[in-house]
Amino acid sequence: FNLIFQTHIFEMASLISLYQNGSPFDTSNPKRVIRDTAVEFMATSVFIYFGTLSAGSTGAVILDGVNETNVAKLLPIAIAFGITITVLVYAIGHITGGHMNPGVSLLMFLRREMSFKKMLCYWLAQFTGAMLGSAIVLGSTTKYFNQREFNLGATTLDVNTTPLNGFLLELMGSFFFYFVIAQTALDKKGIATSSIPPLAIGWSLVITHICLIPFTGCGVNPARTFGPSMINCMSGRCSS
């Protein structure tokens, strides 16, 4: 009874304070109001997109024209990508910035935080590094590679996903991923100076993989798509 009574007293005190002080005058800067409203609109759209998309993706069955795979088995893949990027950013972020993604390097170039020549050097390292990583996977899993459904983890469209569907899915996934990077790791007014950004980046990658894997295999990172695809082709599996 005492707890309920105290709660009512607190609510009444809050209402009285609001009546006496009024609401904050936070519309004095129209440009900031427009900016904040636009950001809220965008963030809500992205939130609803990925939240509702996951309802369909987590109940899907992946079809590549030959095999069927229950998407529930792919949750560890999403977690593996997210955790791997997190720990690597922590490991090399102070050295290179921890890009490991040509899109991130392009983002840094567009923000004038990287020269064009250095971006090209990073691109070369990222694409060739992706090929080497996939080649090592091939060497480590020769027998699994003979099973068509493995395919070195290459990204591919589900048979029920059109190229236009795939483009829109990858566009939204890339936008979400790069937006999180820009607002957490690069925005000096945010948490860029703390050690938290790699966690947000890793979790955003988990979300995009959970939502996109059943439809496109989840590229988001051009090097991630390029590496397995090239090694597949060099191994005589271009058509898979």
Side-chain angles (χ1 to χ4, degrees):
F1 176 78
N2 288 335
L3 180 60
I4 296 176
F5 178 74
Q6 292 174 2
T7 302
H8 284 302
I9 293 296
F10 176 76
E11 291 174 349
M12 291 179 63
S14 299
L15 291 173
I16 293 173
S17 176
L18 179 62
Y19 175 76
Q20 292 177 338
N21 299 326
S23 59
F25 186 56
D26 54 4
T27 58
S28 58
N29 188 336
K31 290 184 178 179
R32 182 168 184 176
V33 172
I34 294 173
R35 183 203 67 181
D36 294 353
T37 303
V39 170
E40 277 296 309
F41 171 78
M42 181 275 298
T44 304
S45 299
V46 171
F47 170 67
I48 298 301
Y49 178 82
F50 285 102
T52 54
L53 181 62
S54 67
S57 65
T58 53
V61 174
I62 299 176
L63 303 173
D64 63 2
V66 177
N67 303 286
E68 296 185 2
T69 303
N70 192 322
V71 77
K73 297 179 180 179
L74 301 181
L75 179 59
I77 299 176
I79 295 175
F81 271 104
I83 293 178
T84 301
I85 199 70
T86 298
V87 297
L88 284 173
V89 171
Y90 274 121
I92 70 169
H94 64 290
I95 302 174
T96 69
H99 299 186
M100 295 165 285
N101 184 329
V104 175
S105 299
L106 176 61
L107 175 63
M108 295 293 288
F109 168 72
L110 294 176
R111 290 177 61 96
R112 299 181 182 276
E113 297 189 27
M114 170 181 279
S115 68
F116 182 72
K117 289 183 178 179
K118 189 171 183 179
M119 181 189 72
L120 292 181
C121 291
Y122 270 40
W123 280 7
L124 178 63
Q126 290 154 355
F127 284 116
T128 56
M131 289 180 63
L132 175 61
S134 294
I136 296 175
V137 170
L138 174 59
S140 304
T141 57
T142 307
K143 290 187 178 180
Y144 283 99
F145 182 66
N146 293 328
Q147 300 177 17
R148 185 181 178 87
E149 62 269 21
F150 176 54
N151 210 24
L152 297 181
T155 56
T156 182
L157 288 177
D158 178 75
V159 295
N160 294 317
T161 302
T162 67
L164 180 60
N165 295 154
F167 173 79
L168 186 58
L169 287 161
E170 288 291 326
L171 177 66
M172 287 298 297
S174 299
F175 168 76
F176 175 60
F177 181 56
Y178 297 134
F179 175 77
V180 170
I181 293 174
Q183 296 304 115
T184 59
L186 302 179
D187 189 350
K188 304 305 180 184
K189 296 181 180 179
I191 59 175
T193 57
S194 70
S195 60
I196 298 177
L199 294 175
I201 294 169
W203 278 109
S204 67
L205 200 59
V206 171
I207 294 170
T208 54
H209 275 76
I210 289 175
C211 293
L212 268 60
I213 283 178
F215 306 107
T216 67
C218 189
V220 178
N221 182 341
R224 179 262 180 272
T225 298
F226 178 81
S229 298
M230 285 300 297
I231 298 302
N232 273 325
C233 285
M234 293 170 67
S235 302
R237 299 277 299 271
C238 285
S239 59
S240 50

